[in-house]
Amino acid sequence: MRHLPPAHLPRADRPRAVEALVALTRLHLRAREPAKAKETVRQALDEAKRSEASSSLVVDALTAQAASEQVEGNAAAALRSLEEALATSTSCGDAAAEAKVRQHIARLHQQTGKLTEALKAAKESLSTAQRLSWDEGTAVASSNACWTGGLPWR
């Protein structure tokens, strides 16, 4: 099932197609339609590569792909997608995206019982968020670190 014919879109509209496909992926996940989510996110990633989309769109698509893998219980594939998203955000110098991806990694490790890895990712996210003076990111990363027992709850 193809949702959009991205190849037929003008080049300037292709990033919007990627955004729409990522949003549709998240809607499929909320509707508990993992197969549709997986297919849609593949389309988003294919179009992102074809159209040389911005790194932030690629990171969004990869985190959506990780979510679709996680819903299906495939933590290893989800982690691979998140590691690719982390590498992408790091290579382009997007520290806020890097902190967000590390938050996702921390939660994935928490859910799979890997608390040492979860704490490491949460602390790295916290450090980046604090360096950016990003209040929301600091709060989320602090919460993740507290949940794993790495920081005292204040």
Side-chain angles (χ1 to χ4, degrees):
M1 170 174 75
R2 302 281 297 168
H3 297 288
L4 294 171
H8 296 83
L9 292 173
R11 188 164 184 79
D13 290 338
R14 290 183 181 177
R16 285 188 218 122
V18 174
E19 289 174 3
L21 288 167
V22 170
L24 186 56
T25 297
R26 295 190 192 286
L27 288 173
H28 284 310
L29 289 171
R30 287 188 187 118
R32 300 182 194 276
E33 298 171 334
K36 289 181 181 179
K38 205 169 198 174
E39 181 181 339
T40 306
V41 79
R42 273 194 212 115
Q43 290 177 34
L45 285 166
D46 288 347
E47 182 56 31
K49 290 174 186 170
R50 222 182 354 263
S51 65
E52 299 176 6
S54 70
S55 59
S56 65
L57 282 177
V58 173
V59 169
D60 286 347
L62 287 166
T63 57
Q65 181 179 45
S68 72
E69 293 292 352
Q70 197 171 355
V71 164
E72 291 188 328
N74 193 347
L79 184 58
R80 282 192 299 274
S81 293
L82 291 173
E83 287 171 344
E84 187 177 345
L86 181 62
T88 301
S89 61
T90 302
S91 70
C92 71
D94 188 344
E98 180 184 333
K100 288 178 189 176
V101 172
R102 288 187 193 281
Q103 290 169 6
H104 291 297
I105 291 171
R107 281 192 292 275
L108 177 64
H109 284 314
Q110 287 170 351
Q111 292 168 356
T112 57
K114 297 178 181 174
L115 299 184
T116 302
E117 291 90 339
L119 181 59
K120 180 179 184 273
K123 284 184 173 181
E124 289 170 344
S125 177
L126 177 60
S127 174
T128 301
Q130 288 174 331
R131 181 173 48 84
L132 296 173
S133 300
W134 179 34
D135 294 337
E136 180 186 354
T138 299
V140 171
S142 295
S143 175
N144 284 336
C146 289
W147 190 91
T148 58
L151 294 175
W153 189 255
R154 295 180 203 177

